[in-house]
Amino acid sequence: TVPHSAWVMSPPALPAMPHTPKLPAGLLPSSAAPLETATVGRTLNIGPRIGIKGACDDQALGNALHAIFAADLPDRRANMDRRLTRARRLLDAHGIAANLEAADVIGGADRFYALIEMEFGFSKLRVEVPFEYPAEDGRRVSGFIDLVLETNAGWLVIDHKSFPGGKDDVEAKALTYSGQLACYGRALEAAEHRVRSLWIHFPVSGL
């Protein structure tokens, strides 16, 4: 007998599928796009600018000021020598001790504290508040809020920025951080806290 020939049929080729970039599992608030509907509600004048001498690395400046405010605000009633020593140590650790005077930074911190106490009458102050919540696309949003004030009317978010511009410049600059502030507001709401307002603090500018 003659065996039947065997035929192998190839499946039809499938059309190429478009490549969809994979979203990162996490989202940092600092990468959030500004909100088109954001506006500047109020601008509060804190006082004199914090002087900067010579060329100063922007990232080092921002990191140093964040570290000083985070350490100093909860300990603001401590002995002044202790506060100045800590500020000098942090400026030196970030390599900008030659650019800023510790006394100027602590003076700015004192003026900032006096203003927020007078303006908002908070009952509790929290620094570097951690958070995490799910975004609508399934990603996790996480980070730290620089400063949260608890009041009877709700919680306030304050984010420190080292941008050194004048009043007109910082109002426009503040809007570029509106997406980041919105993430912080949603984080508090996800934790069932009532959000009163969202603020940017520009310590170098005194605003």
Side-chain angles (χ1 to χ4, degrees), residues 84-98:
L84 290 172
T85 298
R86 179 173 53 214
R88 291 190 191 101
R89 185 178 70 246
L90 289 169
L91 289 172
D92 185 62
H94 288 87
I96 59 171

Side-chain angles (χ1 to χ4, degrees), residues 11-196:
L14 296 175
M17 299 296 291
H19 174 69
T20 302
K22 184 178 180 181
L23 292 173
L27 175 65
L28 294 176
S30 57
S31 66
L35 304 181
E36 294 182 2
T37 57
T39 59
V40 174
R42 296 175 62 198
T43 300
L44 301 177
N45 184 19
I46 297 172
R49 296 172 59 87
I50 294 176
I52 299 176
K53 297 175 288 185
C56 184
D57 181 78
D58 290 341
Q59 184 172 352
L61 174 64
N63 290 340
L65 291 177
H66 275 82
I68 292 171
F69 275 86
D72 189 72
L73 288 176
D75 197 34
R76 58 195 174 274
R77 305 192 193 283
N79 177 275
M80 181 59 74
D81 287 341
R82 168 176 165 170
R83 297 172 67 198
L84 290 172
T85 298
R86 179 173 53 214
R88 291 190 191 101
R89 185 178 70 246
L90 289 169
L91 289 172
D92 185 62
H94 288 87
I96 59 171
N99 302 107
L100 283 86
E101 295 290 340
D104 288 345
V105 180
I106 295 302
D110 281 338
R111 291 189 294 273
F112 171 70
Y113 175 71
L115 182 138
I116 61 175
E117 187 176 44
M118 177 183 68
E119 189 73 28
F120 305 123
F122 57 90
S123 58
K124 191 170 184 179
L125 174 154
R126 301 171 184 260
V127 298
E128 296 298 322
V129 179
F131 68 87
E132 182 176 326
Y133 70 92
E136 292 180 357
D137 60 11
R139 290 183 291 172
R140 306 297 298 181
V141 184
S142 61
F144 294 85
I145 303 174
D146 290 345
L147 178 60
V148 172
L149 306 179
E150 297 182 29
T151 76
N152 292 334
W155 289 28
L156 294 91
V157 168
I158 301 178
D159 193 50
H160 308 301
K161 297 296 183 187
S162 58
F163 179 71
K167 181 178 179 180
D168 293 339
D169 297 324
V170 300
E171 289 188 358
K173 189 68 173 178
L175 293 176
T176 69
Y177 301 119
S178 55
Q180 182 177 357
L181 286 180
C183 287
Y184 294 156
R186 285 192 286 268
L188 294 182
E189 289 171 348
E192 299 185 352
H193 298 301
R194 181 174 153 199
V195 178
R196 176 175 167 183

